Amino acid sequence: GLGIAYLAVRWFAERQRFARPGSPSRRTGPAFVERIAANPGPEELPANVAGAALGLLAEDRARAALSLLYRASLVRFLNDFALLVPRSATEGECLRLVEAGVPGPDAQWFRHLTVLWQRLAYGHWPPSKHAIVELCRGWQDLYQANDAK
């Protein structure tokens, strides 16, 4: 039973790679990142990212909350660490770039966010509200404290 569950999780995580070109699952990752790269301006992001994500979560909009955290992270990494993300990058490629060019705690937090995002976006497995609240706390610890300085 565990083997079947493991294979199902791996299949959901990797199915994007095997999708037909032009199918929605094939376009989701690159189009998402391309939109971020094309317009990383702060006007697209709220001043309090964690608070806005928690507000979306309170409205039962977990996907929107994770999307906001993901977009804000990429913008943050672009601005703080000059991380360049190709327009065609998938979430996995973004993660590899972050792990190579961003300090430990930021990269670890982003890894956790990416895993939850991929499970939701491609596996349709919504994370627990607690997991999203923890991501928001992580955002506050990493970035809001630095912004106050």
Side-chain angles (χ1 to χ4, degrees), residues 2-148:
L2 290 175
I4 291 172
Y6 174 79
L7 290 174
V9 168
R10 295 301 305 159
W11 180 79
F12 279 119
E14 298 292 330
R15 71 183 183 160
Q16 171 191 5
R17 185 183 334 174
F18 301 107
R20 289 187 330 268
S23 70
S25 65
R26 185 62 132 168
R27 288 191 316 256
T28 301
F32 179 78
V33 176
E34 182 174 320
R35 188 170 64 84
I36 301 302
N39 187 9
E43 65 276 357
E44 200 176 308
L45 300 173
N48 181 353
V49 171
L54 289 171
L56 291 167
L57 184 61
E59 298 171 1
D60 287 328
R61 297 178 58 203
R63 184 181 192 95
L66 287 179
S67 174
L68 173 61
L69 289 169
Y70 195 89
R71 288 183 293 119
S73 300
L74 290 178
V75 169
R76 188 78 185 207
F77 298 150
L78 173 70
N79 293 331
D80 291 357
F81 305 106
L83 183 74
L84 298 177
V85 177
R87 290 179 180 261
S88 62
T90 64
E91 290 90 344
E93 291 166 335
C94 288
L95 179 58
R96 285 188 287 282
L97 289 169
V98 168
E99 289 177 332
V102 175
D106 298 74
Q108 290 170 357
W109 179 86
F110 188 71
R111 172 176 277 289
H112 184 61
L113 171 62
T114 300
V115 167
L116 292 180
W117 170 254
Q118 288 177 321
R119 286 180 184 165
L120 176 62
Y122 304 115
H124 306 288
W125 291 2
S128 69
K129 286 188 177 190
H130 175 74
I132 298 174
V133 168
E134 287 301 311
L135 282 172
C136 291
R137 286 186 186 144
W139 175 274
Q140 291 170 330
D141 292 344
L142 289 169
Y143 305 119
Q144 286 182 330
N146 292 338
D147 289 343

